[in-house]
Amino acid sequence: MTDQNHPTDAHRPSDQNHPTDAHRPSDQNHPTDAHRPSDPNHPSDLNHPIGPDHPDHLSEPRPPAHPYYQELEFLTPWAVPVRFAVRYGEDRRPPGRPGVLARRATLGTGSPVLQYRLVPSAQGDSDAYTLLEREVTAAVALERRYGTAKFSAVFARVVGFDLTAAEPFVLYRPPSPTARPLSEWAGRLGAEDQERITGQLAMAVRLLGGAELVHRAIGPDTVRWDGARVRLCEPYAAQRTGEAREPFGGAPWASPEQRAGRGAADSRDDLWSVAELAYHLLAGRPDRGEGPPADLADYRRLAALGQSGLFAARAADRPHPAELLRLLHVPDPLATGVGAADPLDRRRTEYDTQIARKRAASGGTEPHREAEEPPPQDPRPARPSLFDRIFGGGGEPLRPVAPEPVAEPLPSARSRKCPHCLLPVEYDERLLVTIDAKGNRIPLDLSAERRSGHVADALRKAYHLCPHTVDGEEEHELPVPYLTNGEPLSIALVGSSSVGKTHLLAAMLGEVELGGLEPYGLKCRPLNPEVHRTYLHERVQSFHQGRQLGRTGQQTFARFADGLLVQAGGATPRPVVFFDLAGEDLAQDGEVGRFLMGVDAFVFVLDPLRALRLPGLDPVREQSGLRRRDLGDEAFATVLNRIPRQRGGLVAAPAALAVNKSDLVRFEPVVDRWLGRALPGRHDPAALREESRDAYAFLAHHASAAWLKPFDDCADCTLHFVAATGGQARGDRFPHGARPRRVLAPLLSLFARCGLLPGAEPTEGIVR
């Protein structure tokens, strides 16, 4: 029987050079030349680890032109771009991998690889791309962590990948020609070989757990044995430990919980597969896969495994991989540590020191703004006003207004600070207007309307003029719900031009529209239906259709991009408005940025292409025309210098530093740890602190200190790895669609700090 994941020579014609250019689109695997250096690099020996400084990739010249040769460009596991001449074998469809084609290939003058690529017909399926991306991430994580260790042979060794190609692909070293699937060895192996196989599989599971991975595809057709060592198949089904189990596999090789998709993925899921393989090799037949085999007592060599709970139907009842290794008398490969010490540990300690410094400077208490003088009160009309009739305060009683359109305001809701000009605005029905399609402001008089439901619906869509417009200043207005609900929260995105602020905001509000805040107990409605509808159409829908959004134009007057009414449980809804200004406006200390002095919270958006000293980013920098800057983001500095300081010279407004475009560095272990995981469905202060600590360490290690200015200057600043688009655009489109990741993390952090997130105390700041 052949391995379902590896073509054998029996499946291949003796000549692998027969595909012609007519059978291969010239660009299907090749990113543009701007992604790659012009000098070809050719590793000459794929049987040895190739590190970022390994000389092999420089030693072999390109072979002469040949009608059967093409060129293949990809990244090594260390993000080093390389180019090869390549010859392809025939395509086949590997079992269990829909949308993927496999083929053998020969790089250079004789280095064999296996290529798995996503065909064009499957690229409209976001799940297919996600699975390939997850596979590459797992394979690279294992290679980077264990690639130089002698036991790395238990894994399929990744050679390279390109997830930005027209047909995204991954390359592996092929298995040894003498390695055969375990299904062909069942009932034919001696006791010593069976013990070695079980021990090596247990060691592989232990190593996978050390990388926080669950393989999920360990079975007799996917594991090979060459008489000395096992080799697991490619991690195409891998999940991270702790993630919700996705249904995968069949009995008996996949555990009952994995088959049903119950609970969270656990390393002990793979131990179930090891137990079933051990039984299969000894008995010569598979078990039913629902618990301990009925005849387990008949096999004395499995007695210890059975007593350990290895065959238990629940993962929680099985031993941990390290415990199983002790039981099998197999040395634990992680007991003495693998690889060099983490260079970020020193920076994590530095983070702790900085937090202590800010706690001491701020007195360890919640930041607060200076008390504001109460706004002057204009004389009210003698008769009950429209505000009083709809929201209470005298006059004849009306039928209750449904809470969906307009909620009961707080007592202080009649006066709000205008987020544009920072002056107080008191509700005045004489200043109500509607705005037509041409932008004309039309006075709105509802004094004669007796139907409270009609009044409430009209106010939901109406505007209130700001009375403080002066000569030469742009006339502006506020949505009425901004004045008739709870305390408003204004959030500004800060960063230079092209850092991705507009894409990040579109991704955030797109996730909100898809219900991304509901698991946290939050309900959202538009602050103004027409503004929100326009923003969704012009920004969010275009973004979700894979179109690159245009740059934000400069303004003469700061207006918020969109607004929401955010409600937690039965509490009064609070208006939340988002400002997205052009980087040029933020970097200039001009009048357009005057509103920044009254902003309640900030999201500082950091671009890795400008900040990080990582050579793997150089090709993308070259393509995009961006340069690394050691002096930091000029918009960060300008904005932080403008915001009032309080308490120890720190900015009191809560902030979040979002490392955007983190997909560009997603294979860095610390980035992969967070970006590869979905957000938890509840507020987790410990995880928030750990991500902030990791992101700080990563930036402090790979960027100049200037890029951490928001963290240094703000009393309360969390740090996050996010990816608004999930990939680089080609032309004006994202070839594999927009793929936002963890974009709500900064917003949830600010909501928690500002008292909007259920279960999070407003004083539960990062400096506490």
Side-chain angles (χ1 to χ4, degrees):
M1 181 181 295
T2 60
D3 185 347
Q4 67 178 8
N5 293 303
H6 300 298
T8 64
D9 291 341
H11 288 79
R12 301 287 174 244
S14 58
D15 181 5
Q16 291 187 353
N17 298 331
H18 65 282
T20 64
D21 291 343
H23 291 85
R24 309 288 181 213
S26 60
D27 65 345
Q28 66 179 7
N29 292 313
H30 308 300
T32 61
D33 289 343
H35 282 79
R36 306 297 182 216
S38 57
D39 294 333
N41 299 324
H42 302 292
S44 60
D45 185 2
L46 295 177
N47 294 315
H48 294 85
I50 302 176
D53 302 317
H54 199 284
D56 282 354
H57 73 283
L58 301 174
S59 62
E60 186 177 326
R62 184 183 302 179
H66 189 283
Y68 298 125
Y69 278 99
Q70 299 177 51
E71 281 197 342
L72 183 66
E73 302 179 14
F74 57 87
L75 298 176
T76 70
W78 291 269
V80 177
V82 293
R83 181 188 294 120
F84 286 93
V86 62
R87 292 170 293 155
Y88 292 112
E90 290 184 336
D91 285 330
R92 67 178 181 88
R93 294 190 178 275
R97 304 184 66 175
V100 172
L101 289 178
R103 59 185 171 185
R104 284 182 177 268
T106 302
L107 302 180
T109 57
S111 298
V113 294
L114 292 172
Q115 184 194 60
Y116 295 87
R117 75 186 195 279
L118 196 63
V119 298
S121 60
Q123 294 185 27
D125 181 358
S126 61
D127 291 338
Y129 185 92
T130 298
L131 290 175
L132 180 63
E133 186 177 38
R134 182 192 295 173
E135 173 185 349
V136 171
T137 302
V140 169
L142 293 172
E143 185 68 25
R144 286 192 171 194
R145 183 166 181 136
Y146 304 126
T148 58
K150 61 182 181 179
F151 48 71
S152 62
V154 299
F155 300 119
R157 304 289 300 282
V158 64
V159 173
F161 60 92
D162 191 342
L163 293 173
T164 67
E167 294 185 9
F169 64 89
V170 59
L171 304 172
Y172 294 96
R173 304 179 189 183
S176 166
T178 61
R180 309 301 301 164
L182 287 182
S183 57
E184 299 184 15
W185 295 97
R188 298 168 47 197
L189 294 171
E192 184 177 346
D193 280 344
Q194 291 181 35
E195 291 175 0
R196 292 173 67 188
I197 290 172
T198 302
Q200 289 184 24
L201 287 174
M203 180 186 68
V205 173
R206 171 71 168 131
L207 294 170
L208 284 159
E212 299 183 345
L213 292 170
V214 185
H215 194 280
R216 304 203 313 146
I218 297 176
D221 293 323
T222 60
V223 177
R224 285 178 171 255
W225 170 251
D226 64 3
R229 63 177 63 88
V230 299
R231 180 187 189 271
L232 274 60
C233 71
E234 299 80 9
Y236 60 84
Q239 271 196 272
R240 296 181 178 277
T241 55
E243 285 188 326
R245 287 189 182 99
E246 297 175 358
F248 183 82
W253 317 116
S255 71
E257 292 167 314
Q258 181 178 306
R259 300 196 303 263
R262 296 194 305 267
D266 191 304
S267 291
R268 292 169 289 184
D269 297 345
D270 286 339
L271 288 189
W272 167 276
S273 305
V274 173
E276 292 295 331
L277 277 175
Y279 176 86
H280 179 53
L281 291 175
L282 183 57
R285 65 181 184 278
D287 181 43
R288 69 187 189 282
E290 296 299 332
D295 58 349
L296 184 61
D298 297 340
Y299 300 97
R300 296 174 55 189
R301 293 207 301 270
L302 295 179
L305 297 182
Q307 293 170 4
S308 73
L310 193 61
F311 289 93
R314 295 176 63 249
D317 298 328
R318 298 178 209 129
H320 288 276
E323 297 171 8
L324 180 60
L325 289 178
R326 287 194 294 270
L327 180 65
L328 297 173
H329 304 290
V330 175
D332 185 349
L334 302 184
T336 57
V338 176
D342 189 342
L344 301 186
D345 283 344
R346 180 173 67 88
R347 300 296 190 174
R348 293 185 178 96
T349 302
E350 182 180 304
Y351 171 87
D352 298 335
T353 302
Q354 290 287 75
I355 289 295
R357 173 189 65 82
K358 292 197 288 184
R359 183 186 297 117
S362 61
T365 57
E366 181 188 6
H368 62 277
R369 297 181 183 275
E370 295 178 356
E372 298 175 358
E373 295 183 4
Q377 299 294 316
D378 292 337
R380 305 291 297 172
R383 63 180 177 83
S385 70
L386 179 65
F387 186 98
D388 292 329
R389 290 167 51 208
I390 299 301
F391 302 110
E396 58 180 288
L398 295 174
R399 288 175 294 172
V401 178
E404 177 66 18
V406 180
E408 186 70 18
L410 295 175
S412 61
R414 298 190 182 198
S415 181
R416 287 282 180 264
K417 180 185 290 185
C418 174
H420 306 292
C421 65
L422 305 184
L423 293 173
V425 177
E426 184 179 2
Y427 186 92
D428 186 343
E429 62 192 59
R430 295 167 297 184
L431 298 178
L432 297 179
V433 298
T434 59
I435 301 178
D436 64 16
K438 296 181 179 180
N440 299 315
R441 296 169 175 83
I442 303 171
L444 176 65
D445 184 2
L446 296 173
S447 58
E449 177 59 65
R450 310 305 299 172
R451 294 166 297 184
S452 60
H454 287 215
V455 173
D457 187 60
L459 292 178
R460 181 174 63 93
K461 298 177 287 187
Y463 291 89
H464 188 288
L465 294 176
C466 178
H468 303 295
T469 303
V470 298
D471 292 340
E473 187 175 69
E474 184 174 340
E475 187 176 13
H476 56 283
E477 61 284 321
L478 301 173
V480 168
Y482 186 89
L483 298 173
T484 59
N485 285 278
E487 181 185 0
L489 173 64
S490 56
I491 299 175
L493 279 73
V494 178
S496 294
S497 179
S498 300
V499 301
K501 300 188 303 297
T502 298
H503 286 107
L504 180 57
L505 181 57
M508 280 182 177
L509 294 181
E511 292 295 300
V512 171
E513 195 71 12
L514 293 172
L517 293 180
E518 292 185 6
Y520 302 89
L522 297 175
K523 295 287 185 181
C524 299
R525 290 179 284 126
L527 183 62
N528 178 271
E530 187 60 35
V531 171
H532 187 65
R533 189 181 305 113
T534 300
Y535 186 86
L536 289 181
H537 176 72
E538 295 181 354
R539 295 292 187 180
V540 178
Q541 290 182 10
S542 295
F543 175 72
H544 275 257
Q545 291 168 359
R547 298 190 184 97
Q548 186 177 28
L549 302 179
R551 294 174 58 180
T552 303
Q554 290 188 257
Q555 304 178 35
T556 58
F557 185 80
R559 291 181 176 272
F560 57 79
D562 195 13
L564 300 171
L565 280 174
V566 181
Q567 184 174 21
T572 301
R574 291 180 60 183
V576 179
V577 294
F578 300 90
F579 287 90
D580 174 26
L581 266 66
E584 295 86 350
D585 288 335
L586 292 170
Q588 297 171 2
D589 202 6
E591 287 302 310
V592 69
R594 183 177 57 184
F595 82 102
L596 291 166
M597 293 183 290
V599 167
D600 299 304
F602 294 89
V603 178
F604 293 90
V605 184
L606 182 145
D607 185 354
L609 294 173
R610 291 176 167 91
L612 302 183
R613 295 185 292 260
L614 289 173
L617 295 176
D618 289 343
V620 187
R621 279 191 266 259
E622 182 181 351
Q623 179 198 23
S624 59
L626 297 175
R627 294 183 178 180
R628 189 171 58 81
R629 290 174 48 90
D630 284 335
L631 297 180
D633 191 313
E634 57 186 3
F636 288 5
T638 302
V639 170
L640 288 168
N641 290 338
R642 191 164 194 169
I643 304 173
R645 304 294 180 103
Q646 299 176 18
R647 294 177 28 211
L650 297 173
V651 173
L657 179 58
V659 185
N660 195 22
K661 306 179 186 178
S662 287
D663 52 286
L664 293 172
V665 289
R666 63 181 174 272
F667 298 113
E668 294 294 322
V670 70
V671 181
D672 176 45
R673 178 188 180 192
W674 296 101
L675 196 65
R677 291 186 181 276
L679 287 174
R682 59 180 179 83
H683 177 59
D684 187 345
L688 180 62
R689 175 182 171 82
E690 283 303 303
E691 183 182 12
S692 295
R693 197 168 182 256
D694 279 352
Y696 176 94
F698 180 72
L699 293 175
H701 186 70
H702 292 292
S704 70
W707 289 98
L708 285 165
K709 186 172 177 59
F711 174 81
D712 293 337
D713 287 14
C714 296
D716 193 353
C717 180
T718 55
L719 298 91
H720 309 270
F721 293 111
V722 305
T725 64
Q728 292 295 291
R730 289 188 181 172
D732 62 350
R733 300 191 67 85
F734 299 100
H736 304 295
R739 311 177 63 78
R741 294 187 183 182
R742 296 180 69 88
V743 293
L744 288 181
L747 186 61
L748 288 166
S749 172
L750 296 180
F751 279 4
R753 193 65 185 89
C754 296
L756 250 175
L757 196 63
E761 294 293 332
T763 57
E764 192 181 66
I766 201 69
V767 301
R768 188 178 177 182

